[in-house]
Amino acid sequence: MIKGLSHSSVYVLDQDSAKAFYTEKLGFEVRQDLRIGEFRWLTVGPADQPDLDFILMKPGPPQHDAETEKQIRELVAKGALGGGVWKTADCRGTHAELAARGVTFLQEPAERPYGIEAVFRDDSGNWFSLTQPHAFDPGKDWG
C-alpha cells in the first residue's frame, strides 16, 4: 500500500550550482549528498517539510543515453519544464524575500482562483509556482 511521496526529482544542469541555489536562495536544507562512483545522489528540502526530499538530478547515465541527456538538458535550459508548486503562507512577502536573494521571477504575485501566485525559475531554467492557497469555497463561482 502506498503511504505517500517521499522524493521528487527535478533535472538540473549543474548539481553544485543547483545545491547553492536551493540552499542559499530558497533556504532549503541539504538532506543527502552522496557519491556512488560517477553518480551523485543530492537531495534538499524545506526545513518545515522533513518527509519530502527533492532530488537535484543531473540528466545522463545510468538513466539516459547521450541523445536523451542532450534533449533533457535543452528542455531544462529553455524553461520548458515545471517542477511543481511550493506553498507559502505569504506569497507577497516570500516573493520579496526571494527576489532580494536574487531569485528570478517570471510572474509577480497575482490573485488567482486558487490563491495568490508568483512564478519563478531556478538556476537551471525549471519554473515553479509559489502559491498562497485560498481557503476552499465550494460555493464560489470563479467562471
Side-chain angles (χ1 to χ4, degrees):
M1 181 60 85
I2 295 175
K3 300 291 184 186
L5 182 65
S6 67
H7 292 73
S8 183
S9 300
V10 64
Y11 289 114
V12 298
L13 302 179
D14 179 278
Q15 287 177 304
D16 288 326
S17 179
K19 180 180 178 180
F21 177 87
Y22 282 88
T23 58
E24 296 168 15
K25 295 194 181 209
L26 298 186
F28 289 5
E29 60 187 18
V30 174
R31 304 278 171 76
Q32 292 183 312
D33 191 353
L34 309 169
R35 295 185 191 264
I36 307 159
E38 295 293 316
F39 180 77
R40 184 175 182 188
W41 177 258
L42 174 59
T43 68
V44 297
D48 292 342
Q49 194 173 12
D51 59 338
L52 178 62
D53 286 6
F54 201 52
I55 306 163
L56 302 178
M57 183 72 66
K58 186 174 107 176
Q63 297 88 354
H64 309 110
D65 60 35
E67 180 59 28
T68 302
E69 176 184 355
K70 179 179 180 271
Q71 291 170 342
I72 292 171
R73 286 181 163 283
E74 289 171 354
L75 288 170
V76 169
K78 74 186 227 180
L81 302 178
V85 178
W86 292 110
K87 183 167 59 170
T88 181
D90 177 9
C91 186
R92 288 182 176 87
T94 303
H95 166 268
E97 179 183 346
L98 295 180
R101 291 184 191 167
V103 174
T104 299
F105 278 84
L106 304 174
Q107 294 177 13
E108 300 293 310
E111 289 285 337
R112 305 281 187 241
Y114 45 83
I116 302 170
E117 178 188 48
V119 177
F120 68 92
R121 287 180 71 164
D122 71 7
D123 68 320
S124 291
N126 298 294
W127 61 270
F128 295 87
S129 169
L130 175 68
T131 300
Q132 174 184 338
H134 289 314
F136 178 67
D137 181 356
K140 187 163 186 160
D141 180 11
W142 288 95

